[in-house]
């Protein structure tokens, strides 16, 4: 066993942690080798973030010990962790938008009661780090004006500036374009070569395989496997994460396209402040095809779905869905769209997809509550709704199969399956889907994608918006790329690759 | 000519006199709001401070004891606000309003019980008051100078010191402060205590410097005007000071205009003149504050995730 002889920067022994009745981490022991990149993978709720939060002093373990450089240490707060040379780059950036880069960098390590000297020292140090690691950022830029990739670099610099020799990154690529992700991985390699120990928490197997030396797989709070990256592959890791075989490749027959069911012409949307959210959007979705919209989040995808589902009226242009023309002077409401056969699975599940405090059975008819057989003469028929929900749960494998449970008690994946079931059960002609698998675990991802393809094969026109490029690539028959409220490119699924799409997503190239 | 000049200087002096409590109060409120703790209770803190200043000065004969008591009284309310909003993550507006109501009631009840003059304290004379230093007519007591110094001090503390950087950060992204290993609660408590200090001085000024004793509800909404000044100043000390001066000037002009017959208009009703600062507040709030620049985390209690 080579692992045991290697020099450990961190060792966790028998770490155990519960939140109330949830046993988040169960007696986990891991060793992180010095000067290496170690990946920690697992589904949502597998305990990987909790474990790292314990290491960083954000939570206290119920049992177990932490060793840094072979010596047992107390981690009562992030301050202790920083003192031991451990730094953490959080998934959600901990930056003050209105501050300059320099001000953000010194926060918490100002080097004295007056700022002037600390700021000057940080400026010098920043220049050194830029030289050593190739991490360049304008120290006087306001963080709000930086791109997401640059903001992440500030986060990494912040940690290095505190003298961290052990760097923990929690889902660092969640908000990055593929190019920015590549850049990040490059930076991590440089850091490793300079002796920094890196721990990468992610659920993206591509990154794990690209950059790590060792992978630790967690499932239900336990470490289920440790692998040398060279000795493993994506299928193997996915199986370990889920606990059963996972198929990545969707069996998909070529699309049999029918008539156009959804067509938008020169759609635009301008908000109250005059900001152009959608700009001259034209697209078509035919029966029997899946059109995917790729793009970094916040480039108008949300607004496009809102307009097409009737939530917001367009400011200009028009669209036609199932024969109904909609423009600024002839708006439509979501209920009418549903009547026309346009179903919508919103991207923000908890705000628009369901009411967390409602029962699952209520969620299963939301939007259709005034129809037979759920409702007779303005009175809801509880037993009928419950039975309907139980049927849906059976068909869409929603677990647990309890219509009387609160919607909020289900996991993200099962909530999503329930919403999808609700919208798909009525055999819609057009299906609008936003982020079908955001925050959904691998097993459910597989199921949801297959259902979408099944719906396509049944002759539905499907429009999928997703920030996960891999998802778009596996689902869509045609791919549109959105950037800054416009459609900047269209690619047929067969000809698409991550690199070209990534460039379009960054607005660098129009096809 | 000479008459016009003296009119101008008199008006300016009056402006400064009226603006002093506003400036002190606004600087205090700035600290609190910059840290993310809204302070609707400035009015109440000032009122309570004014009462204890006058009561203590009257009982001990020392204006300085009065100032000390004023600060203490305001700090007690500040801590109460902090306890509710920081420690227990209560609603900051509700807590502030509660403090205002508490102060309004308590000052009258205690005043009536201790002095039996319908809520007023006995009139203060001589060393029981803070008296003018150089110009007896202008009323340039030490707190007027204190208010003028408070502005650059506040600016310096917020812009140039470690405490200020952390204060600004905690009002924007408390999570970032927490992650940097700095205590969010302790930082906010210090901000709230600073606020209490300044509100205490403002209250003391009202009852033992500008006036010679406490009378019920003597703050008359000045705490809210200070709050408005913070908003006009977009949470920056110097512009907030400017807003306070503008309110002061308006008030000073209003006092001058009382009983004056304006050509073509006739005598301006006193009520209208006295309503001017409040009308200006409404007008400015409605029209001038378009985009909000308030500290992002203001009003939001800080809670760690599970």
């Amino acid at each position: 066993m080579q692992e045991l002889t290697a020099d450990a920067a961190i060792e966790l022994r028998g770490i155990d942690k519960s939140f109330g009745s949830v046993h988040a981490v169960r007696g986990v022991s891991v060793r992180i080798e010095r000067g290496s990149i170690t990946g920690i993978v697992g589904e949502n709720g597998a305990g990987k973030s909790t474990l790292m939060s314990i290491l960083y002093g954000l939570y206290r373990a119920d049992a177990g010990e932490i060793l840094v450089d072979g010596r047992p240490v107390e981690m009562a707060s992030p301050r202790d962790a920083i003192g031991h040379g451990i730094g953490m780059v959080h998934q959600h950036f901990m930056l003050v938008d209105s501050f300059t880069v320099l001000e953000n960098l010194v926060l918490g390590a100002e080097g004295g009661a007056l700022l002037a000297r600390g700021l000057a020292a940080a400026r010098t140090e920043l220049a050194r780090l830029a030289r050593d690691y190739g991490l360049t950022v304008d120290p006087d830029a306001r963080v709000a004006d930086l791109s997401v990739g640059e903001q992440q670099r500030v986060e990494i610099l912040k940690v290095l500036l505190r003298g961290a020799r052990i760097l923990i990154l929690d889902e660092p690529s969640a908000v990055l374009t593929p190019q920015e992700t590549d850049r990040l991985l490059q930076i991590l390699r440089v850091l490793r070569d300079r002796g920094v120990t890196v721990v990468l928490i992610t659920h993206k197997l591509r990154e794990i395989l690209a950059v790590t030396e060792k992978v630790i797989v967690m499932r239900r709070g336990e470490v289920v496997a440790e692998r040398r990256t060279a000795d493993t592959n994506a299928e193997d890791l996915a199986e370990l994460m889920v606990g059963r075989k996972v198929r990545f490749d969707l069996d998909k027959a070529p699309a049999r396209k029918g008539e156009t069911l959804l067509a938008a012409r020169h759609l635009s949307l301008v908000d109250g402040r005059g900001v152009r959210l959608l700009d001259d959007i034209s697209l078509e979705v035919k029966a029997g095809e899946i059109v995917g919209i790729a793009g970094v989040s916040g480039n108008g995808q949300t607004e496009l779905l809102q307009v097409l589902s009737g939530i917001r009226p367009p400011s200009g242009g028009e669209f036609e869905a199932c024969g109904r023309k909609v423009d600024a002077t002839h708006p439509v409401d979501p209920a009418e769209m549903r009547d026309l056969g346009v179903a919508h699975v919103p991207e923000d599940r908890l705000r628009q997809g369901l009411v967390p405090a409602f029962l699952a059975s209520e969620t299963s008819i939301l939007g259709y509550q005034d129809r037979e057989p759920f409702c007779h003469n303005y009175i809801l028929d509880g037993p009928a709704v419950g039975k309907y929900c139980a049927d849906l749960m059976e068909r869409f494998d929603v677990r647990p199969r309890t219509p009387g449970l609160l919607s909020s008690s289900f996991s993200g994946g099962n909530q999503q399956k329930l919403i999808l079931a609700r919208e798909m059960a009525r055999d819609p002609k057009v299906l609008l889907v936003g982020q079908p698998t955001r925050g959904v675990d691998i097993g459910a991802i597989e199921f949801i994608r297959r259902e979408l393809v099944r719906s396509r094969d049944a002759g539905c026109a499907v429009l999928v918006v997703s920030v996960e490029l891999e998802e778009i690539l596996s689902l869509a028959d045609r791919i549109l790329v959105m950037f800054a409220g416009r459609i900047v490119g269209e690619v047929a699924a067969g000809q698409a690759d991550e690199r070209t799409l990534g460039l379009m997503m960054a607005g660098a190239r129009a096809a | 000519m000479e008459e016009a000049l003296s009119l101008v200087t008199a008006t300016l002096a009056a402006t400064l006199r009226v603006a002093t409590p506003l400036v002190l109060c606004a600087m205090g409120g700035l600290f609190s709001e910059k840290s993310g703790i809204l302070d609707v209770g400035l009015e109440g803190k000032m009122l309570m401070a004014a009462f204890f200043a006058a009561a203590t000065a009257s009982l001990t004969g020392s204006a300085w004891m009065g100032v000390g008591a004023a600060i203490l009284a305001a700090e007690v309310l500040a801590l109460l606000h902090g306890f509710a909003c920081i420690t227990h993550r209560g609603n900051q507006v509700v807590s502030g309003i509660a403090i205002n109501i508490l102060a309004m009631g308590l000052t009258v009840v205690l005043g009536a019980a201790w002095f039996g003059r319908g809520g007023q304290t006995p009139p203060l004379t001589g060393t029981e008051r803070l008296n003018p230093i150089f110009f007896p007519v202008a009323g340039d007591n030490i707190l007027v100078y204190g208010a003028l110094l408070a502005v650059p001090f506040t600016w310096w503390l917020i812009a140039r010191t470690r405490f200020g950087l952390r204060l600004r950060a905690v009002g924007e992204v408390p999570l970032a402060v927490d992650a940097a290993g700095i205590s969010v609660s302790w930082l906010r408590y210090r901000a709230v205590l600073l606020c209490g200090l300044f509100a205490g001085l403002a209250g003391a000024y009202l009852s033992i410097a500008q006036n010679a004793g406490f009378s019920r509800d003597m703050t008359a909404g000045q705490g809210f005007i200070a709050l408005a000044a913070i908003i006009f100043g977009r949470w920056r000390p110097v512009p907030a000071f400017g807003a306070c001066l503008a309110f002061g000037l308006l008030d000073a002009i209003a006092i001058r205009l009382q009983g004056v017959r304006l050509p073509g208009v006739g005598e301006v009703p006193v009520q209208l003149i006295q309503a001017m600062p409040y009308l200006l507040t409404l007008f400015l709030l409605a029209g001038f504050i378009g985009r909000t620049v308030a500290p992002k985390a203001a009003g939001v209690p800080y809670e760690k995730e599970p």
Side-chain angles (χ1 to χ4, degrees):
Chain A
M1 289 294 279
Q2 207 193 336
E3 281 95 354
L4 292 180
T5 55
D7 184 15
I10 301 172
E11 195 174 343
L12 302 174
R13 286 186 190 158
I15 300 288
D16 211 89
K17 174 78 184 170
S18 296
F19 296 107
S21 62
V22 181
H23 203 167
V25 175
R26 304 160 187 255
V28 165
S29 299
V30 292
R31 294 163 58 85
I32 310 285
E33 290 159 35
R34 187 187 314 285
S36 72
I37 303 181
T38 304
I40 299 186
V41 295
E43 297 194 286
N44 292 315
K48 48 194 197 305
S49 290
T50 307
L51 187 66
M52 287 303 114
S53 296
I54 288 169
L55 175 56
Y56 190 59
L58 285 169
Y59 302 142
R60 268 202 128 158
D62 300 335
E65 58 176 349
I66 300 172
L67 287 83
V68 176
D69 295 329
R71 275 188 301 278
V73 293
E74 264 308 280
M75 293 289 181
S77 78
R79 186 150 277 220
D80 291 342
I82 294 165
H84 290 296
I86 299 174
M88 185 147 175
V89 175
H90 301 267
Q91 182 177 3
H92 304 289
F93 300 153
M94 307 266 181
L95 296 174
V96 182
D97 274 359
S98 55
F99 280 17
T100 65
V101 168
L102 216 50
E103 284 176 321
N104 267 293
L105 288 176
V106 299
L107 183 64
E110 296 86 349
L114 298 183
L115 281 182
R117 195 178 322 154
L119 286 173
R123 193 182 291 276
T124 321
E125 189 65 8
L126 194 61
R128 188 183 69 76
L129 288 172
R131 238 185 3 257
D132 288 0
Y133 300 113
L135 279 162
T136 45
V137 182
D138 174 9
D140 299 310
R142 261 171 29 113
V143 163
D145 300 330
L146 299 180
S147 75
V148 177
E150 287 173 311
Q151 293 189 6
Q152 189 167 56
R153 249 170 277 156
V154 176
E155 282 282 14
I156 295 175
L157 282 167
K158 206 160 92 177
V159 170
L160 293 176
L161 213 58
R162 309 260 182 300
R165 293 159 297 113
I166 300 161
L167 187 62
I168 307 168
L169 296 110
D170 188 5
E171 299 284 359
S173 64
V175 289
L176 302 183
T177 63
Q179 274 74 20
E180 285 176 324
T181 304
D182 287 343
R183 178 91 200 266
L184 170 70
L185 297 183
Q186 193 51 44
I187 289 170
L188 295 184
R189 284 191 199 100
V190 173
L191 290 173
R192 176 199 54 199
D193 294 343
R194 311 263 157 162
V196 177
T197 305
V198 179
V199 180
L200 182 63
I201 306 170
T202 181
H203 64 268
K204 294 189 180 168
L205 299 175
R206 183 180 82 95
E207 290 152 25
I208 290 286
L209 294 170
V211 81
T212 64
E213 274 104 43
K214 197 173 94 173
V215 197
I216 294 167
V217 185
M218 290 188 71
R219 187 169 76 226
R220 290 203 208 104
E222 287 170 302
V223 170
V224 292
E226 289 188 35
R227 294 275 191 277
R228 292 262 143 213
T229 309
D231 305 336
T232 187
N233 57 44
E235 283 75 23
D236 182 32
L237 289 177
E239 188 181 333
L240 289 166
M241 279 162 69
V242 184
R244 61 182 169 78
K245 277 236 175 286
V246 178
R247 297 193 42 203
F248 275 117
D249 48 325
L250 267 175
D251 269 339
K252 222 171 50 165
R256 291 193 313 276
K257 296 184 193 176
E259 54 174 334
T260 300
L261 291 176
L262 177 68
R265 284 177 287 272
H266 311 295
L267 269 187
S268 66
L269 182 69
V270 180
D271 75 0
R273 287 182 297 164
V275 179
R276 209 160 249 279
L277 299 168
L278 293 178
D279 193 3
D280 196 24
I281 299 266
S282 295
L283 58 84
E284 272 192 2
V285 189
K286 293 191 163 71
E289 73 165 341
I290 298 181
V291 172
I293 295 194
V296 179
S297 127
N299 275 290
Q301 301 99 312
T302 304
E303 291 77 11
L304 180 63
L305 280 184
Q306 285 174 343
V307 169
L308 292 178
S309 60
I311 295 172
R312 283 171 94 162
S315 319
E318 57 167 26
F319 71 95
E320 193 177 331
C322 304
R324 162 76 150 90
K325 266 201 172 52
V326 179
D327 61 24
T329 48
H330 303 92
V332 70
D333 66 62
E336 190 186 342
M337 291 302 270
R338 268 194 290 275
D339 289 339
L340 289 165
V342 179
H344 178 208
V345 178
E347 56 179 18
D348 191 342
R349 189 157 58 230
L350 293 174
R351 291 227 184 90
Q352 296 192 307
L354 52 77
V355 181
F358 276 18
L359 303 180
S361 59
E362 291 167 329
T363 291
S364 75
I365 59 159
L366 216 56
Y368 304 96
Q369 67 280 359
D370 50 359
R371 303 180 186 202
E372 290 287 344
F374 314 132
C375 176
H376 326 290
N377 301 324
Y378 305 102
I379 294 170
L380 273 181
D381 182 346
V385 173
K387 187 178 169 311
Y388 176 76
C389 181
D391 283 352
L392 284 186
M393 286 175 147
E394 194 64 39
R395 255 178 73 197
F396 280 80
D397 189 29
V398 179
R399 279 177 262 185
R401 298 211 199 326
T402 317
L405 208 58
L406 285 184
S407 305
S408 56
S409 316
F410 291 81
S411 73
N414 284 302
Q415 290 173 347
Q416 186 74 341
K417 283 195 269 188
L418 189 58
I419 294 169
L420 209 63
R422 174 182 79 209
E423 300 302 333
M424 284 170 58
R426 303 235 138 205
D427 296 322
K429 295 194 191 107
V430 176
L431 182 58
L432 308 169
V433 191
Q435 315 298 347
T437 58
R438 177 185 280 172
V440 166
D441 46 48
I442 289 199
I445 288 179
E446 197 191 356
F447 181 88
I448 288 170
R449 291 188 186 163
R450 260 201 316 236
E451 282 302 320
L452 290 175
V453 172
R454 187 171 301 164
S455 164
R456 172 197 82 153
D457 292 340
C460 181
V462 185
L463 184 72
V464 174
V465 168
S466 175
V467 292
E468 300 284 347
L469 207 42
E470 171 263 326
E471 172 157 272
I472 294 283
L473 285 168
S474 81
L475 271 177
D477 300 305
R478 266 191 313 129
I479 298 167
L480 304 174
V481 182
M482 280 191 80
F483 176 73
R486 303 177 67 95
I487 289 181
V488 293
E490 172 170 350
V491 191
Q495 286 130 37
D497 66 88
E498 281 206 13
R499 195 177 151 66
T500 345
L501 288 176
L503 284 173
M504 288 185 198
M505 281 160 65
R509 212 189 91 181
Chain B
M1 185 60 210
E2 202 162 297
E3 197 185 326
L5 198 69
S6 80
L7 187 69
V8 168
T9 40
T11 308
L12 284 183
T15 300
L16 219 50
R17 273 202 307 272
V18 178
T20 293
L22 298 179
V23 172
L24 287 169
C25 222
M27 294 306 128
L30 249 169
F31 283 112
S32 181
E33 301 232 331
K34 272 278 179 194
S35 82
I37 302 293
L38 294 177
D39 201 353
V40 185
L42 279 175
E43 174 87 0
K45 284 202 263 283
M46 194 159 51
L47 189 64
M48 195 72 108
F51 172 76
F52 276 96
T56 309
S58 154
L59 292 175
T60 63
S62 156
W64 287 108
M65 293 296 275
V67 172
I71 293 173
L72 222 64
E75 292 293 21
V76 167
L77 290 185
L79 281 174
L80 193 65
H81 190 51
F83 186 66
C85 302
I86 304 170
T87 306
H88 288 292
R89 304 179 190 94
N91 184 299
Q92 299 171 6
V93 174
V94 172
S95 165
I97 291 174
I99 282 172
N100 288 340
I101 297 172
L102 180 71
M104 229 187 318
L106 209 56
T107 48
V108 174
V109 169
L110 289 181
W114 292 349
F115 305 105
R117 293 162 174 262
Q120 294 200 345
T121 58
L124 304 171
T125 49
T127 55
E128 295 167 0
R129 290 183 67 199
L130 293 172
N131 294 307
I133 300 175
F134 303 115
F135 314 103
V137 199
D140 62 328
N141 61 71
I142 187 152
L143 286 179
V144 175
Y145 296 104
L148 290 176
L149 284 175
V151 180
F153 172 74
T154 303
W155 172 84
W156 175 80
L157 201 59
I158 287 178
R160 288 284 184 264
T161 67
R162 172 174 63 193
F163 172 72
L165 184 81
R166 293 177 173 187
L167 186 78
R168 283 181 280 145
V170 84
E172 296 277 337
V173 191
L175 200 60
V177 170
D178 196 15
I182 306 161
S183 163
V184 170
S185 297
W186 173 223
L187 202 48
R188 287 187 165 171
Y189 263 110
R190 277 183 286 171
V192 166
L193 285 173
L194 269 171
C195 175
L197 171 71
F198 281 103
L201 291 176
Y205 175 85
L206 284 183
S207 65
I208 64 174
Q210 193 180 23
N211 299 291
F214 177 85
S215 56
R216 61 188 298 169
D217 296 334
M218 76 180 306
T219 45
Q222 292 187 70
F224 292 106
I225 300 236
L227 211 55
I230 294 173
I231 299 173
F232 301 153
R234 306 199 154 203
W235 289 268
R236 287 171 302 174
V238 177
F241 171 64
C244 291
L245 283 186
F247 282 127
L249 180 66
L250 212 65
D251 225 33
I253 291 173
I255 294 165
R256 291 262 148 216
L257 278 181
Q258 280 181 24
V260 174
R261 299 190 133 270
L262 289 181
V265 184
E267 194 172 323
V268 185
V270 178
Q271 288 85 354
L272 180 70
I273 294 167
Q274 284 172 340
M276 285 292 277
Y278 305 95
L279 288 175
L280 180 75
T281 307
L282 265 180
F283 171 72
L284 286 179
L285 274 178
F288 274 70
I289 308 302
R291 205 84 64 73
T292 66
V293 283
K296 246 188 251 152
V300 188
Y302 178 66
E303 261 172 289
K304 262 194 203 188
E305 282 167 46

